[in-house]
Amino acid sequence: MSEQILIIDFGSQYTQLIARRVRELNVYCEIHPFNHLPKATDHLKGVILSGSPCSVREKDAPDIDLAAFRGKVPVLGVCYGAQLMVHQQNGEIVPSKIREYGRARLLKMDQHYDLLKEMTLGNQIWMSHGDTIATLPPDFKNIASTEDVQHAAFKLEHEDTYGIQFHPEVTHSEEGKILLRNFVVHICGCKQDWTPDIFVESTVARLKETLGDDKVVLGLSGGVDSSVAAMLIHRAIGKNLYCIFVDNGLLRKNEFDDVLHSYKDMGLNVKGVDAKARFYESLGGLTDPEDKRKAIGKTFIDVFDEEAHKIRNVRWLAQGTIYPDVIESVSVKGPSATIKSHHNVGGLPEKMNLKVVEPLNTLFKDEVRKVGRALEISENILGRHPFPGPGLGIRIIGDVTAEKVRVLQEVDAIFIDGLKKRGHYNEVWQALAVLLPIQSVGVMGDERTYENVVALRAVGSVDGMTADWSKLPYDFLADISNKIINNVKEVNRIVYDISSKPPATIEWE
Ligand code: XMP
């Protein structure tokens, strides 16, 4: 097990970003909610307390007993975390008189302190708090200020405990990375040896030990997560990993055959299952987006379960669950409101009565890609745009039929192919085509047409939580539009989606 930093989550929107920044330093860290803390082990090198939407002055404000950590390992309180330490020692926290949101500069800084080493006087930081520290407790020493915030940073005397009232994890804090490196590397003494290769090596060793000679079943989707999870487990147990790749009839054009080939080339023991007809049948006549998702999810579970039962003595179900899914499910404020039911295979482990193995459940998406590269998985798989489990089923508005899938596959293939040929594919985060349930009048040659309308969508995003529409060049859009209308006779009009998320979502259903 590697050295680690514990990030205690008090519910800030930036907590995951702190973890990203620490991991970028090649140091392993975990986020745990303040009310479910793990026991400290020898691997623990330091603790970071996150911010919070709450105020320490509220009656039920999140609180923890810091005695378990303070003085034993270095502690850094960020924003609420800093105010909590002050509050616990009877310092004074008051509502800010002026708004302390947005940019500020560190105008006074004592760079003798390790936390602020190599930082430049006047560097820009990002503030976001409604309360402020009015008075520090006796053992707390002020080490930095901005124009409006006197106690922008402090250190406890005789103890490696620090607090800062700004957010070093956001990119607007110009030297935030230096500050976090100072804390994690210089103060906590972490060795920065957590790399994709080390992750592969230690995970494969752990999987070997856990799985032994047991058989494991895994559902491949063609996406990055399930492919990387499969390769890791394959390295550990070889042919005892049984992969199942289901053709739900809602994949992109030729995707099933192409991806199945790639998997076989990678040496995976994979079975392709053609279940198109069952999926279309289960979708028959459904138009409500949630009903469609549920029907697709349920059919997948049924098909997968039947196939898995054909493998004798299978003990484990492997899943490509990644870290953000795990963190969300234990968030401080409870799971966020469901806008769309994204969990494609929720309920699968319970139904199958198998033990679950999730080798990627400590990684962020970009780390999964890096691990994939360390495993030499082809860029063709690693560089793919995200593709939802319900596939084209939620890109055909209204009821889904085999014929509509065929039309949309043709359109989508022309769009995606064009993006690749013109070098735009890797510039956008995700691109898709949507078949609309309306027809419009057109003219081709001397003929009047009355055909389908298709919407194209391309977005830029970091994690799919927010997104903006991509400003693809007009001449490219014109070209693609022509190509689609000339080659897919069922379509006579193309529109381009120019909505951001929020308020729209990426998928139309
Ligand atoms: P939305 O439409 O909510 O999508 O803005 C955000 C990201 O999630 C993908 N998505 C899904 N992925 N199962 C998935 O595995 C789903 O049911 C699902 N719905 C949306 C979507 O493609 C985008 O990348």
Side-chain angles (χ1 to χ4, degrees), residues 293 340-342 344 386 388-390 394 429-430 464 501 505-507:
R293 279 168 188 276
K340 299 176 186 179
S341 47
H342 273 205
N344 311 325
I394 54 167
W429 193 75
Q430 187 171 13
K501 172 181 180 176
T505 51
I506 296 176
E507 305 289 347

Side-chain angles (χ1 to χ4, degrees), residues 284-299:
L286 296 183
T287 53
D288 178 78
E290 281 300 299
D291 290 347
K292 285 162 67 178
R293 279 168 188 276
K294 285 192 185 115
I296 297 167
K298 179 176 179 308
T299 310

Side-chain angles (χ1 to χ4, degrees), residues 251-259 409:
L251 301 175
R252 291 194 143 117
K253 188 179 174 185
N254 298 332
E255 174 146 343
F256 185 67
D257 292 332
D258 291 352
V259 173
Q409 279 179 335

Side-chain angles (χ1 to χ4, degrees), residues 33 78 112 114 215 297 330 466:
V78 174
H112 289 109
D114 284 347
K215 288 185 185 169
V330 288
T466 59

